[in-house]
Amino acid sequence: MEFADKLQKFRKERGMSQENLAAIIGVSRQSVSKWESGQAYPELDKIIALSELFNVTVDNLVKNTPSSTESAENVQHIRYVDSRYMYRYEYKSKRTWRGLPLVHINIGRGIHVAKGIIAIGNIAIGGLSIGGIALGGLCLGGLGFGLVSSGGLALGLLMALGAVAIGPIAIGALAIGIIAIGSLAIGMFSFGACAIASHIAIGQYATAHIAIGDSVNGAQTLLMENNRLNSISAEQVRALISQEYPRLWKPIVERIISIFN
């Protein structure tokens, strides 16, 4: 059986139209029509995508084999596998902005990249990105890297939120940043159970030039009583910061002091 015949056969077994198949593979309906009529042959990446979709090997798909009708048992098995393991879903909006679709969804087994203003995929790149690996403006993913990122490992140019967060403002179990908030916080200004900072650290254990906490280590320290923040007055903190960092940006000073109000 020729490739063209096999392609048509597998497509019809799954109740798919040429348009459906074209949308999933990411080609035009005319391309599918040419493949099935033998006028053209797909590129290697499309062949691999087709083999994954139909749950057959590339050899089985492209090599000529004697024409035969598969048993009902085999056909049922293939459909059963397909129903349990959807291999891929892709959607691209027709509307674009500067060449990028407003929405691009590309998810499934394997590595699938989505690029759009809103991108959702195994790997997502866009203004708003959601995926295993997310890159762009606002990113949500296992690994997120962008202006604002949230994920298992989040790297943010402005802000990062995650189990491990790295950015100017970092919030996470492990937070590393200029302003770091977390169980373990490391930065210029750190707040957490264990806070380590170059300037000011506030936490149960705090080490910094100015260290405020239950257990402290620093050039200037304020010791809390029974781990209670209200045991230290805002005026004490203000006076200490003014003494050690008189030119510190006022919004940061006020934010730190507000913790003790």
Side-chain angles (χ1 to χ4, degrees), residues 79-185:
R79 287 177 177 169
Y80 172 69
V81 170
D82 284 348
S83 66
R84 289 188 60 189
Y85 305 103
M86 185 183 76
Y87 110 101
R88 183 184 180 191
Y89 172 78
E90 183 173 20
Y91 166 79
K92 277 186 181 181
S93 64
K94 293 182 179 179
R95 291 189 177 183
T96 62
W97 186 75
R98 295 191 176 182
L100 287 175
L102 293 183
V103 179
H104 187 192
I105 302 172
N106 195 4
I107 56 177
R109 290 183 298 168
I111 299 175
H112 302 294
V113 180
K115 295 180 180 180
I117 305 305
I118 299 174
I120 302 173
N122 300 57
I123 299 175
I125 304 170
L128 169 59
S129 304
I130 302 173
I133 299 176
L135 311 170
L138 175 58
C139 302
L140 308 172
L143 170 60
F145 178 72
L147 294 177
V148 178
S149 298
S150 176
L153 172 57
L155 308 174
L157 297 179
L158 296 178
M159 178 181 288
L161 302 92
V164 178
I166 302 173
I169 300 175
I171 303 173
L174 169 58
I176 301 173
I178 296 175
I179 298 175
I181 303 171
S183 298
L184 173 56

Side-chain angles (χ1 to χ4, degrees), residues 20-32:
N20 296 149
L21 180 57
I24 292 173
I25 299 301
V27 298
S28 66
R29 185 200 64 78
Q30 289 79 5
S31 294
V32 174

Side-chain angles (χ1 to χ4, degrees), residues 49-69:
L50 288 167
S51 70
E52 291 179 350
L53 173 61
F54 298 135
N55 196 39
V56 297
T57 65
V58 171
D59 281 353
N60 191 10
L61 182 64
V62 301
K63 284 186 176 180
N64 293 343
T65 58
S67 178
S68 61
T69 304

Side-chain angles (χ1 to χ4, degrees), residues 31-47:
S31 294
V32 174
S33 177
K34 288 181 179 180
W35 296 347
E36 291 188 352
S37 64
Q39 298 177 47
Y41 204 76
E43 295 177 353
L44 179 59
D45 62 325
K46 304 304 181 187
I47 292 174

